Amino acid sequence: MNQPQTSNSLFSRLRFVLVGTSHPGNIGAAARAMKTMGFSQLVLVNPRFANATTHEEAVAFASGAVDVLQSARIVETIEEALEGCNFAAALSARLREFSPPVTQPRALAAQLAGEASLNAALVFGSERYGLPNEIIERCNVLINIPANPEYSSLNLAQAVQLLAYEARVAATGEALPVSPIGFQGVAADLGQIEGMYAHLEQALVAVEFLDPSNPKKLMPRLKRLFSRAQLETEEVNILRGIARQIMKKLGQQ
């Protein structure tokens, strides 16, 4: 496989994040799926087995992709897994009431390949429970694979293979470019966005727009609203500045 490995190629910018994986064999198979498509960044969040990357079943299912296993990072939180990313896409067969915008693998792959400023993560849940709402709400988009509605369940490694394939085709083929409207700045990383949400929530409580004892669904709705905007760093700074000025005027800063 002779894919480009420049600093801004999709092969260098895309990581695969597996959350709470139960079966070591699925981790090995996912590593193999990634390597066949030219990807190598694998991050495991709280896998069931502490030796997930060296477990005999993982090594067996990885086949010739043991190097991807050996270089995989094991972390405790999704925050650690997404560190350095400014875009994250969660995979789920179940649509959520307050999910970010829903997209399909091919459209997402074209976007990731077309926007060289995106350092992205594809986030996959556990085999039994999928992804919890709080992780999905942190992501920019929710990937929904258009499968048989009567049986839409994919094995974890199969899902990784499908996404890796679409990403490879978009990176090496003639993917449709994503055309920015006017000036396009640097995409805000997920840590910056989470900080902005916290700051905005404080300001909304201060002006009594948000009742912390009865918050209802205000913050999830706002997160969904902003996730559609694909916020840039400068835009996050503006929103935090507004929140800061509200707090200052109320004498709470």
Side-chain angles (χ1 to χ4, degrees):
M1 294 178 292
N2 295 315
Q3 66 276 349
Q5 289 292 343
T6 59
S7 61
N8 67 341
S9 79
L10 186 56
F11 298 99
S12 301
R13 293 186 283 109
L14 184 62
R15 74 182 64 166
F16 291 72
V17 177
L18 309 186
V19 179
T21 312
S22 298
H23 304 292
N26 281 335
I27 295 174
R32 181 176 182 178
M34 291 169 55
K35 187 170 183 178
T36 60
M37 295 297 123
F39 297 95
S40 60
Q41 294 189 51
L42 176 61
V43 183
L44 309 176
V45 181
N46 278 331
R48 180 181 177 189
F49 292 90
N51 63 336
T53 59
T54 57
H55 192 284
E56 60 180 5
E57 189 176 324
V59 173
F61 276 81
S63 189
V66 175
D67 56 326
V68 176
L69 275 182
Q70 291 175 338
S71 62
R73 290 193 298 122
I74 299 179
V75 298
E76 295 183 358
T77 66
I78 190 65
E79 289 80 8
E80 293 174 273
L82 297 179
E83 187 174 353
C85 290
N86 54 22
F87 190 93
L91 183 77
S92 177
R94 293 188 296 114
L95 299 181
R96 315 297 173 95
E97 182 181 2
F98 294 103
S99 79
V102 178
T103 189
Q104 293 186 356
R106 190 159 299 171
L108 174 68
Q111 179 183 4
L112 297 182
E115 296 186 33
S117 64
L118 295 182
N119 294 308
L122 301 178
V123 185
F124 302 81
S126 71
E127 300 91 333
R128 295 182 60 190
Y129 304 111
L131 286 171
N133 289 335
E134 55 267 25
I135 289 182
I136 289 178
E137 288 176 4
R138 289 183 63 92
C139 295
N140 301 88
V141 295
L142 178 66
I143 310 168
N144 188 252
I145 296 173
N148 177 5
E150 296 180 2
Y151 188 70
S152 60
S153 178
L154 278 177
N155 170 268
L156 173 60
Q158 291 173 334
V160 170
Q161 184 75 81
L162 191 153
L163 269 295
Y165 166 78
E166 291 290 355
R168 179 176 180 81
V169 169
T172 60
E174 296 182 355
L176 292 175
V178 178
S179 300
I181 299 174
F183 173 78
Q184 187 174 34
V186 177
D189 67 43
L190 300 176
Q192 292 173 322
I193 293 174
E194 283 301 308
M196 181 270 290
Y197 286 142
H199 208 164
L200 182 59
E201 185 173 4
Q202 291 175 351
L204 293 175
V205 170
V207 297
E208 299 182 354
F209 187 83
L210 173 61
D211 180 358
S213 65
N214 186 28
K216 297 183 179 179
K217 301 292 185 179
L218 178 62
M219 290 310 298
R221 286 187 182 278
L222 287 176
K223 289 182 178 183
R224 183 172 64 174
L225 184 156
F226 284 118
S227 68
R228 293 197 295 268
Q230 296 184 24
L231 292 168
E232 299 171 3
T233 298
E234 185 60 28
E235 293 165 341
V236 167
N237 290 338
I238 290 171
L239 290 168
R240 294 199 71 164
I242 293 171
R244 188 179 302 111
Q245 190 64 19
I246 290 172
M247 302 289 286
K248 183 178 179 181
K249 284 290 185 181
L250 294 173
Q252 297 189 28
Q253 183 174 327

